[in-house]
Amino acid sequence: TNLFKLLSEAELREKLKGATIASIGPITSRTLRDCGCHVDIEPAEHTVAGLVREIVKHCGRVVTGD
């Protein structure tokens, strides 16, 4: 939430316009939504590896192995 303290809601919306927003899990997603952001990606597995897999999948690439 430090980023949200640095920028006004309008500034944040402008800077994130068109951005894909990824969250590691439901608590982070809720915080983002509470601050007025949308969440595009939230992995079922709430780990860095799960987040990376979902981001790569979102980008249309295939991940093989760990």
Side-chain angles (χ1 to χ4, degrees):
T1 58
N2 288 333
L3 177 62
F4 299 104
K5 291 176 185 175
L6 293 173
L7 301 171
S8 71
E9 192 172 322
E11 289 173 313
L12 188 60
R13 268 189 234 274
E14 181 59 33
K15 297 206 182 290
L16 295 177
K17 191 185 212 175
T20 298
I21 298 177
S23 166
I24 197 163
I27 294 170
T28 303
S29 292
R30 183 174 44 243
T31 300
L32 285 162
R33 288 184 187 108
D34 288 348
C35 292
C37 293
H38 64 281
V39 176
D40 300 295
I41 302 168
E42 182 188 305
E45 177 190 328
H46 307 136
T47 63
V48 172
L51 180 60
V52 169
R53 274 193 292 275
E54 288 302 313
I55 291 170
V56 169
K57 189 187 308 181
H58 182 82
C59 293
R61 298 186 185 128
V62 177
V63 176
T64 57
D66 285 334

